[in-house]
Every structure is written in structure tokens, then in C-alpha cells.
Amino acid sequence: MEKAVSLNFISVPSDQLQLANVGRSDTLSGHKYGPAVRPYYLIHYILAGSGTFKTDQSIYKLHAGQGFLIEPGQETIYIADKNTPWSYVWVGFSGNFADQLMQQIPLNQREPIFSLNDPKRLIELVNLLLLKSVNSTTKKLLNLSYLLEFLSIISNATIISRESTTSISDVYVEKAISLVNKNFPNISAASLAQMIGLDRSYLGKRFKKVTGMTLQTYLKNYKITQARHLIESTNLSLLEISQRCGYQRVDSLARTFKATYGLTPSDFRLQQKELLTL
């Protein structure tokens, strides 16, 4: 089961570049999607939690801050983690020009995993694409501009090699991610290194090599995406959410949230409620 909001677009075979669909999903423990095959490109970005992405060639253990590409005709399965099920956004697109664009982006079926340290604009673009309006040439062109900007962000993302992502090839990094899940929000990079028994700097280097982001960035992203999930999916007050997510003050949460997502927590919550009623 999952809580999802999405839009599907009408396919026009003659179009050189077109949107197939766009959406956002908050999954439940162990939620599985697939095996599935699609006739278009599909890019997912993980907002919170973790899960497993399976192709016919590899198995990837992924978490918040990372994303993955599915190419047309590729069979895939993805499964939400039982303890920390993921939330993600996605954009699907196709066309001959889409093929040309994807050939220029260093993301492909062999290396489909990427990471973003600052997903703010990417998330804004997904939200803009989710807004319904009268079907018109103006709206269609505007959506294509959003898609092109989305792909420009992906083209600058950090591509994570298969060797680094397949079953998380570093036991210390796997242990670090597990400890974050179990001890959130009362954990820091220093306490994490102490619990694992490694020097903080050394753990940080191993973490960056495997995940494509620094340990500090991972903790920061984990913290704000957990807050986002609570803002979006519960009626908890901002004070309660701040306390649950390790922010000492509500204004600290609000400041970080706006810097990340471009909206205050209150405005974001209102926007999500409006999207669900469209």
C-alpha cells in the first residue's frame, strides 16, 4: 500500500519530447512495486526513508538523497524498507529528443544511481508539474520547460558507481545508516563514529565514497526529510515535529525547511492538502 498523488499525461506519438507522468508517493513498510516494464524513461528521487531497487543486473540499497533511472523496456522491482519505508517523487518522459538528451547525461541502465546534496529546485519542479490546469499549448510548453530544467539538475548530479551501491559494499557505511535509522534524531556524526568504533574523519571518507554525499549532509537531509514527511502526512503541530526531528526551536525547523523546499512548513502543508483534493 502507498499514499500517492500523481498525474498522467496524454501521449502524442509525433511529439519529440513529452511527459508521461509525474508523482509523489509515501509507501508503507515493505511496499513492493513490480516487476514492471514501461515504454518511457522514469526518474525517481528519494525524499525520506530507504528501500531496494532491483534490475535484471543488480540490486541497489538506496536511501534519502539518492535517486534512480529506469530506461524504456527495462524490467525493475522496488521495495520499501520494513523499518524506514521510503517516500519519493518521480517524473516519466519519452520521445526521440528524450533519447538524445539521455545520451548526454552520465546516467544510464548500467549506472542508474545518483545523489543530490541540494534537491530544493528538483522538488519544486515536481510540485509545479503536479499542478492541474486547463490543457493548453501554454501549459504544455511550460511543463516541457520544467522537464528540461529537471533533467539539467539530474545532469549535474553525482553518479554513484555500481560497485558502491550494489548491496552497500561497505559494512561500516551499512552500519552507520542502520544506526541513524534506529537512533534518530539523537545522533551526530561524532557519536555515530564512536558507536561504530572508527575515527570520524575516516568514517566520513568511506561514507562519501559509497553514498556520494558527506555524512553531515546525509544526517541533515535525513533530518529535514523526516520533518517533511510528518508535516505532509500527519496533523502534528510544528512544535511536536520540531521535537521529534531534533530541532531545538520551531524557527530552526522553519528556516531549514524553507531553505530546502522553498516554502514555510505551514505553506507546504497547505499546498499538499490542496494537491490531494485536486
Side-chain angles (χ1 to χ4, degrees):
M1 296 292 294
E2 61 179 336
K3 171 189 169 186
V5 55
S6 64
L7 276 179
N8 293 312
F9 297 88
I10 298 173
S11 175
V12 181
S14 60
D15 283 359
Q16 293 297 300
L17 179 65
Q18 59 184 313
L19 282 156
N21 51 49
V22 60
R24 185 183 62 255
S25 177
D26 299 313
T27 64
L28 296 181
S29 174
H31 175 261
K32 177 182 177 182
Y33 190 91
V37 178
R38 304 160 190 80
Y40 49 81
Y41 294 97
L42 189 60
I43 295 177
H44 286 68
Y45 180 74
I46 304 164
L47 301 171
S50 58
T52 302
F53 172 55
K54 298 182 179 181
T55 71
D56 58 354
Q57 299 176 340
S58 302
I59 299 175
Y60 304 92
K61 304 289 188 178
L62 305 177
H63 54 75
Q66 296 180 323
F68 55 93
L69 165 72
I70 299 173
E71 293 192 341
Q74 182 184 13
E75 182 177 282
T76 60
I77 299 171
Y78 32 105
I79 307 167
D81 185 81
K82 290 183 179 180
N83 297 318
T84 56
W86 51 17
S87 298
Y88 50 71
V89 293
W90 74 86
V91 172
F93 56 96
S94 63
N96 291 334
F97 188 49
D99 295 335
Q100 296 176 35
L101 287 172
M102 293 309 295
Q103 288 174 9
Q104 299 175 49
I105 295 176
L107 195 66
N108 52 54
Q109 190 168 326
R110 177 172 174 77
E111 293 193 331
I113 311 303
F114 65 91
S115 69
L116 283 176
N117 285 337
D118 184 7
K120 174 184 171 182
R121 182 56 181 167
L122 182 141
I123 295 167
E124 288 178 346
L125 291 168
V126 171
N127 286 334
L128 288 169
L129 287 168
L130 277 169
L131 293 175
K132 289 184 178 179
S133 68
V134 177
N135 191 14
S136 66
T137 300
T138 301
K139 175 60 175 173
K140 181 178 179 180
L141 290 173
L142 191 58
N143 281 345
L144 287 178
S145 74
Y146 295 150
L147 172 59
L148 288 170
E149 187 177 353
F150 178 94
L151 293 176
S152 74
I153 293 172
I154 298 299
S155 72
N156 285 318
T158 301
I159 308 303
I160 304 176
S161 69
R162 181 195 298 191
E163 290 74 17
S164 295
T165 52
T166 303
S167 71
I168 307 184
S169 59
D170 189 305
V171 292
Y172 292 114
V173 173
E174 188 171 4
K175 179 67 173 176
I177 291 172
S178 175
L179 286 170
V180 172
N181 293 338
K182 291 177 181 177
N183 295 279
F184 175 80
N186 300 311
I187 197 162
S188 64
S191 61
L192 198 56
Q194 186 176 23
M195 293 167 74
I196 295 173
L198 291 178
D199 175 77
R200 175 178 171 176
S201 176
Y202 180 64
L203 174 62
K205 289 178 181 178
R206 294 183 75 137
F207 197 92
K208 176 72 180 291
K209 180 180 179 181
V210 171
T211 68
M213 67 177 68
T214 66
L215 182 54
Q216 203 64 41
T217 297
Y218 175 79
L219 290 170
K220 179 182 176 182
N221 288 349
Y222 191 98
K223 191 174 179 178
I224 196 61
T225 51
Q226 290 296 317
R228 176 192 180 278
H229 176 71
L230 292 175
I231 289 167
E232 183 180 35
S233 61
T234 74
N235 292 318
L236 292 172
S237 70
L238 294 182
L239 176 59
E240 290 176 290
I241 292 173
S242 298
Q243 293 171 342
R244 287 194 183 195
C245 295
Y247 292 95
Q248 294 183 350
R249 297 163 56 94
V250 173
D251 58 356
S252 297
L253 166 62
R255 185 168 54 253
T256 303
F257 195 93
K258 186 170 184 179
T260 304
Y261 299 112
L263 293 170
T264 65
S266 298
D267 287 343
F268 181 82
R269 175 173 270 173
L270 179 61
Q271 181 192 71
Q272 304 316 302
K273 289 180 179 178
E274 291 174 347
L275 285 172
L276 291 173
T277 58
L278 288 175

